[in-house]
């Protein structure tokens, strides 16, 4: 609480906390990330995968943008779809190692 100039208590509205949780909307890649799972922080394995596939990190999105991402995947267009395709290539490359 804060006191105003008339010495009255004033309740200040709470600052909205930003939601740092991210949903992974790419293909499940064992040991890296699982499709449609919400993460409180991006896993270190995903950060490592980003070195080989920079687009991969675009598949971790704020939860409120899930509808937009799902639409891009359904229509097969946009940056989410492109990143999804790159993640599939990365996944296939891991299988062949």
């Amino acid at each position: 609480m804060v006191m105003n100039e008339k010495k009255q208590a004033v309740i200040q509205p709470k600052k909205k906390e930003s939601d740092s949780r991210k949903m992974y909307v790419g293909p499940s890649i064992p040991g890296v990330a699982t499709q449609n799972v919400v993460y409180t922080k991006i896993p270190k394995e995903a950060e490592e995968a980003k070195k080989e596939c920079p687009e991969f990190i675009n598949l971790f999105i704020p939860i409120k943008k899930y509808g937009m991402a799902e639409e891009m995947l359904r229509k097969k267009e946009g940056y989410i779809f492109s990143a999804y395709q790159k993640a599939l290539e990365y996944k296939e490359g891991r299988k062949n190692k």
Side-chain angles (χ1 to χ4, degrees), residues 67-90:
M68 177 247 347
E70 193 62 32
E71 183 177 353
M72 285 186 198
L73 292 171
R74 194 174 2 85
K75 290 182 176 180
K76 298 183 178 182
E77 63 185 25
Y79 77 95
I80 296 288
F81 180 71
S82 297
Y84 192 97
Q85 294 301 109
K86 293 287 186 179
L88 283 175
E89 291 172 17
Y90 173 78

Side-chain angles (χ1 to χ4, degrees), residues 36-64:
N36 295 338
V37 168
V38 176
Y39 293 89
T40 54
K41 67 178 200 170
I42 296 173
K44 65 180 182 199
E45 295 84 358
E47 291 288 350
E48 288 295 315
K50 181 176 87 169
K51 293 175 184 174
E52 287 183 52
C53 180
E55 298 88 354
F56 185 73
I57 213 71
N58 291 336
L59 296 170
F60 288 90
I61 61 166
I63 297 167
K64 66 182 180 181

Side-chain angles (χ1 to χ4, degrees), residues 1 3 8 18 22 26 34 39-41 47 61 69:
M1 261 191 266
M3 302 299 274
Q8 295 171 330
S18 65
K22 305 282 185 190
T34 304
Y39 293 89
T40 54
K41 67 178 200 170
E47 291 288 350
I61 61 166

Side-chain angles (χ1 to χ4, degrees), residues 52 90-97:
E52 287 183 52
Y90 173 78
K91 180 180 179 178
E92 290 302 314
R94 284 176 46 101
K95 281 185 183 177
N96 297 330
K97 286 185 179 180

